Amino acid sequence: MSAAPKNPDRITIELTGQPIGFAELIKIGRGEVTVTASAEGLARVAAARLVLESTIAEGTPVYGATTGVGAMKDVAWSPEELDAFNIGLVRAHHFGTGEPFPICVVRNAMALRVNTALTGYVGCSTELVQAYLDLLQADVIPVVRRTGSIGCADIGLMGQIGAVLTGVGEAMFEGRRLPAAEAFAAAGIAPMKMAPRDSLASLSVNSVSFAAAAGATRTAACAIRTLLATGMAASGAMGGSRDPWIAVTHVGTPREAMIGKWLCNASEGWDWPKATQIQDPLSLRMIAQVFGTVFESVLTAGHKILAATGRSDDNPVIVDGRVLTSGGSLPLDVTVLLESASLTMAHAARNAFNRCVLLGNGQRRDLPVNLVPHGVIATGFGPIIKLAGEIFSRVLSMTNPVSAQSLVVAGGMEDEAAFLPLVIERFERQVQALQRLAALEALLAAQAMDIHGDEPGGAVKLIYDAVRRHAAFYTVDRPLSAEVEAIEAELASEAFLTELIAISPIHAIDGFFALGGFGMQGVQPTQP
């Protein structure tokens, strides 16, 4: 199944079995690099394979290699039946439905499957590893529909990739969605024949979920970075005191102090309006506490996800020269931490919604009700603040944990699950909602600034200018839907985030998640 290099001058990322960083995942997901496997990693794959083949030759049953799976674990296959079983196993697990994952997630999922195999615990063939690498090299990317995993190995998701390896299913090639056989023919590669253990090794892991979770947490970090900036803009527009931000740098937790310091530094780029009250509402005073907790949670989940990119979650595994049954396919650690991060998304949403209410209620800095300029006949922004409330409720509604709900399948053999793909999907929807909420807060803050004739600078000016590119100062009632969507699109763009980070970085966040180009310098071309 060998694929010739399409661009020999591209950067090469060599997988070794060690965890993969966000910078590498970004490059792999975009298809901008050549992915290879280290010689040491391939040697571990080969050594584990010898153990598996020796075990089979001794007549010892090996789950999913010489026996059936799940409720059919006690069904033994004869050597003459193994070819039919192996090809049938991956094809039977092509049962996912719904919208497909983005191509970047699928590219990363294949790279993760290769990387975890390189740990030497799997027992798959080196040919299976090469088959994934060939797909990446040829950029033949399986179509993986999102619905099809209970979060205890992505069998219905990884099965769609495994089926494509054998020449069935669908794949994207050169922008076209094709039957796998047509994509292979167009790319000049051939399907592979699954050897014993290869079929189950291509199914019984959580690589799609881990790839999707990595993308979701990075997008969340982007959205929260922007929402923090719009929160600062709203605070300035309302004449909020910066004293609590100074205080938290001395008495807060490390993450709270980090955010407080950022707020102090990033707000220095303009003549900050004087504080208008002896003490502000909590949604202004506690921005550092709220966002410090949010970032702590997202960072913790991100670290756990990256750790998962370098460990085997297979069943069975090869350990100390033996084939051992394993329970490693339950990604509960990642799931629970992502559910925790999901809860913090609601706190961020509530914090922003509360500021939207304050901006429009006529109680701060002599701002008019609904931000209607004095002497103007208009309803103003009162109605759209209800949209902010709906968004907050939407985010909150998706915080209920699902990982502990009961589910028993496979004749009672499989009675644990984490529902990680569902957790990820809900988390992604929360993040999308936060991006819209940031647009609303920015729109209201810009109106308040213009009412008082403020001239913002630094990160706040960046927010203000983005708003005014899409929405004029409000003096006459008008439809706002398209304006909000346009502001949202700009604030959520990579270009905007890169500019925001260039003005006011948060190194612990931006470096870890490779935001705004941070960390990308570590992905360098290999030397000839």
Side-chain angles (χ1 to χ4, degrees):
M1 183 181 172
S2 184
K6 297 180 70 173
N7 186 350
D9 297 325
R10 291 203 306 178
I11 292 173
T12 295
I13 291 179
E14 183 181 75
L15 303 178
T16 65
Q18 293 298 308
I20 306 173
F22 278 99
E24 289 78 14
L25 290 173
I26 292 166
K27 289 287 188 180
I28 294 170
R30 292 174 178 170
E32 296 175 349
V33 295
T34 297
V35 182
T36 63
S38 70
E40 294 83 358
L42 288 172
R44 290 190 290 269
V45 173
R49 182 69 185 177
L50 286 175
V51 173
L52 180 102
E53 291 177 346
S54 176
T55 302
I56 292 174
E58 292 169 358
T60 303
V62 176
Y63 178 79
T66 63
T67 76
V69 297
M72 298 182 68
K73 65 181 179 61
D74 294 320
V75 176
W77 307 109
S78 69
E80 294 75 22
E81 296 170 324
L82 283 180
D83 284 348
F85 166 69
N86 280 305
I87 196 169
L89 184 62
V90 287
R91 293 180 176 183
H93 286 83
H94 189 308
F95 58 77
T97 58
E99 290 296 314
F101 281 100
I103 288 177
C104 60
V105 170
V106 184
R107 286 194 185 104
N108 279 329
M110 290 193 288
L112 294 191
R113 172 64 286 193
V114 169
N115 197 57
T116 55
L118 296 178
T119 61
Y121 292 113
V122 179
C124 66
S125 67
T126 55
E127 287 79 10
L128 179 65
V129 171
Q130 189 60 51
Y132 285 109
L133 294 175
D134 285 345
L135 284 187
L136 288 169
Q137 180 63 44
D139 207 28
V140 174
I141 308 303
V143 173
V144 180
R145 297 163 178 82
R146 296 191 67 125
T147 306
S149 172
I150 61 174
C152 190
D154 290 333
I155 57 174
L157 307 180
M158 289 298 293
Q160 297 174 66
I161 301 175
V164 168
L165 288 174
T166 71
V168 299
E170 294 177 291
M172 297 297 299
F173 181 66
E174 296 183 343
R176 296 180 295 160
R177 182 168 173 169
L178 302 170
E182 291 184 23
F184 276 39
I189 58 177
M192 77 165 291
K193 178 181 178 181
M194 293 282 180
R197 181 72 182 99
D198 284 351
S199 291
L200 189 59
S202 66
L203 302 173
S204 191
V205 289
N206 297 283
S207 297
V208 174
S209 287
F210 292 151
T217 52
R218 183 177 185 271
T219 303
C222 295
I224 296 299
R225 284 287 273 111
T226 299
L227 193 62
L228 175 62
T230 63
M232 179 176 63
S235 296
M238 289 186 281
S241 172
R242 290 185 289 180
D243 286 354
W245 303 346
I246 299 172
V248 78
T249 64
H250 296 278
V251 300
T253 68
R255 292 293 178 221
E256 293 169 358
M258 177 186 76
I259 299 304
K261 183 178 181 180
W262 184 87
L263 288 166
C264 291
N265 292 338
S267 62
E268 290 177 352
W270 61 307
D271 187 13
W272 189 268
K274 292 183 179 180
T276 58
Q277 297 185 10
I278 190 170
Q279 183 159 276
D280 294 324
L282 299 182
S283 59
L284 301 182
R285 277 192 286 139
M286 296 182 174
I287 292 177
Q289 283 79 4
V290 171
F291 281 83
T293 300
V294 174
F295 278 124
E296 180 73 23
S297 185
V298 173
L299 276 169
T300 301
H303 279 286
K304 185 63 69 174
I305 292 163
L306 292 193
T309 69
R311 72 165 188 253
S312 170
D313 54 345
D314 289 83
N315 177 41
V317 292
I318 311 300
V319 177
D320 293 334
R322 298 175 57 201
V323 180
L324 303 179
T325 187
S326 166
S329 59
L330 183 70
L332 194 55
D333 56 349
V334 170
T335 305
V336 170
L337 288 175
L338 202 57
E339 285 184 318
S340 177
S342 175
L343 179 60
T344 67
M345 295 299 106
H347 285 276
R350 183 179 66 186
N351 188 239
F353 167 63
N354 288 339
R355 287 191 298 272
C356 289
V357 172
L358 291 173
L359 279 163
N361 67 8
Q363 302 299 310
R364 299 288 309 182
R365 203 187 171 196
D366 296 323
L367 288 169
V369 173
N370 291 354
L371 297 175
V372 175
H374 296 294
V376 170
I377 300 174
T379 299
F381 288 100
I384 204 171
I385 292 176
K386 295 178 181 178
L387 172 59
E390 194 273 353
I391 291 173
F392 162 56
S393 296
R394 185 180 293 266
V395 175
L396 180 63
S397 72
M398 290 180 277
T399 59
N400 181 45
V402 298
S403 63
Q405 67 186 9
S406 178
L407 183 74
V408 180
V409 294
M413 284 296 298
E414 298 174 9
D415 52 3
E416 289 288 348
F419 303 97
L420 179 54
L422 177 58
V423 171
I424 294 166
E425 185 175 331
R426 298 198 314 169
F427 187 71
E428 290 172 340
R429 290 167 60 192
Q430 286 181 307
V431 171
Q432 290 170 359
L434 289 180
Q435 291 170 335
R436 183 149 299 172
L437 192 55
L440 286 172
E441 185 173 29
L443 177 63
L444 297 173
Q447 179 75 4
M449 291 178 205
D450 280 344
I451 287 173
H452 277 295
D454 295 333
E455 295 183 2
V460 177
K461 185 177 188 302
L462 194 65
I463 296 284
Y464 175 87
D465 289 345
V467 171
R468 287 294 173 243
R469 275 191 285 273
H470 306 287
F473 180 64
Y474 197 106
T475 57
V476 177
D477 288 328
R478 65 178 191 257
L480 294 173
S481 302
E483 293 179 8
V484 170
E485 291 172 350
I487 296 168
E488 174 190 348
E490 178 162 348
L491 295 186
S493 69
E494 194 83 22
F496 175 85
L497 186 68
T498 298
E499 193 170 355
L500 173 62
I501 289 172
I503 294 173
S504 299
I506 305 178
H507 295 285
I509 305 298
D510 305 332
F512 177 68
F513 287 107
L515 307 182
F518 271 66
M520 299 302 286
Q521 64 272 16
V523 184
Q524 297 290 348
T526 55
Q527 297 299 317

